[in-house]
């Protein structure tokens, strides 16, 4: 089937903007929330700066429960909560809630794992100099783990692009919905292939940017 690009071009451009909207806000909101969750997981674990067994246990179990759930199931399972928070379960804006929620748990675990890799001697040195626990977290722990954190966030970016594609199944729009509606369902393979090419280019650019930033942080 020959694609009618004169008709499809405006739809494709709208789909690109919808995907950019979903990915941008998810990375911004989940990036901040995930950082706080990861810091909380690290500092409340046994031996941490704010060690608290109950808080760590609750957060740890919560992350372990949510992370393995496939996103396409998660987005439908939290439908009532999405309706409560966003006021609707249809449209690009509505899928932000499940995307931010899922990405927050992903980022939280990644942040925690990267903070664990920081040399404990660095933390002990900061404590010996009289730094407060709050200052150690934000002036020592996070800066020391910054390079792997950049790579971790780059990894999550790819996962968020994947989420945005699946959001098309539940009326979220975006490139995933465009590929399914105008490519797969109409047997218009050039449309599907072009969509895949756009996503690959976006992901490659993000990976290149992430690698470059991580190298600069390592050699700062």
């Amino acid at each position: 089937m020959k694609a009618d690009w004169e008709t499809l071009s405006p739809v494709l451009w709208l789909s690109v903007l919808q995907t950019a909207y979903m990915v941008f806000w998810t990375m911004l909101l989940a990036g901040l929330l995930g950082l706080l969750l990861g810091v909380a997981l690290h500092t409340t674990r046994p031996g941490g700066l704010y060690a608290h067994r109950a808080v760590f246990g609750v957060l740890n179990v919560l992350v372990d429960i949510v992370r393995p759930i496939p996103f396409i199931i998660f987005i439908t399972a939290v439908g009532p909560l999405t309706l409560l928070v966003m006021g609707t379960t249809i449209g690009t804006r509505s899928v932000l809630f499940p995307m931010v929620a899922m990405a927050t748990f992903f980022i939280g675990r990644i942040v925690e794992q990267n903070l664990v890799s920081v040399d404990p001697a660095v933390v002990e040195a900061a404590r010996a100099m009289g730094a407060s626990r709050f200052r150690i977290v934000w002036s020592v722990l996070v800066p020391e783990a910054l390079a792997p954190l950049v790579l971790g966030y780059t990894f999550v970016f790819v996962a968020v692009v994947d989420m945005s594609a699946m959001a098309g199944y539940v009326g979220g729009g975006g490139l995933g919905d465009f590929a399914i509606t105008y490519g797969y369902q109409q047997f218009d393979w050039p449309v599907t292939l072009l969509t895949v090419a756009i996503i690959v280019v976006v992901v490659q650019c993000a990976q290149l940017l992430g690698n470059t930033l991580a190298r600069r942080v390592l050699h700062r």
Side-chain angles (χ1 to χ4, degrees), residues 6 8 13 20 40 79 107 144 179 193 201 218:
E6 188 175 347
L8 290 179
W13 177 240
I107 293 174
E144 284 293 321
L193 293 176
V201 169
L218 276 174

Side-chain angles (χ1 to χ4, degrees), residues 110-124:
I110 287 174
V111 170
E112 181 207 12
Q113 290 172 347
N114 285 317
L115 293 181
V116 167
S117 67
V118 174
D119 187 352
V122 177
V123 177
E124 288 305 317

Side-chain angles (χ1 to χ4, degrees), residues 29-44 59 104 107-109 111-112 115 134 137-138 142 153:
L29 298 176
L32 293 173
L33 294 173
L35 179 62
L36 294 176
L37 177 59
V39 168
L41 280 165
H42 180 269
T43 56
T44 59
L59 294 178
T104 295
I107 293 174
R109 185 62 86 196
V111 170
E112 181 207 12
L115 293 181
F134 182 83
V137 171
W138 300 109
V142 173
Y153 273 79

Side-chain angles (χ1 to χ4, degrees), residues 148-163:
L149 282 176
V150 170
L151 293 176
Y153 273 79
T154 305
F155 175 79
V156 174
F157 177 87
V158 178
V160 170
V161 171
D162 187 40
M163 287 182 195

Side-chain angles (χ1 to χ4, degrees), residues 1 6 15 31 35 41-42 47 70 101 105 112 114 122 163 165 169-170 179 183 187 192 206-207 212 218 220:
M1 182 176 179
E6 188 175 347
S15 300
L35 179 62
L41 280 165
H42 180 269
F105 289 106
E112 181 207 12
N114 285 317
V122 177
M163 287 182 195
Y169 271 112
V170 292
F187 303 101
T192 305
Q207 189 67 58
T212 303
L218 276 174
R220 70 187 190 276

Side-chain angles (χ1 to χ4, degrees), residues 41-63:
L41 280 165
H42 180 269
T43 56
T44 59
R45 63 189 300 133
L49 292 169
Y50 295 93
H52 195 292
R53 187 182 298 275
V55 173
F56 174 75
V58 170
L59 294 178
N60 194 48
V61 168
L62 198 57
V63 172

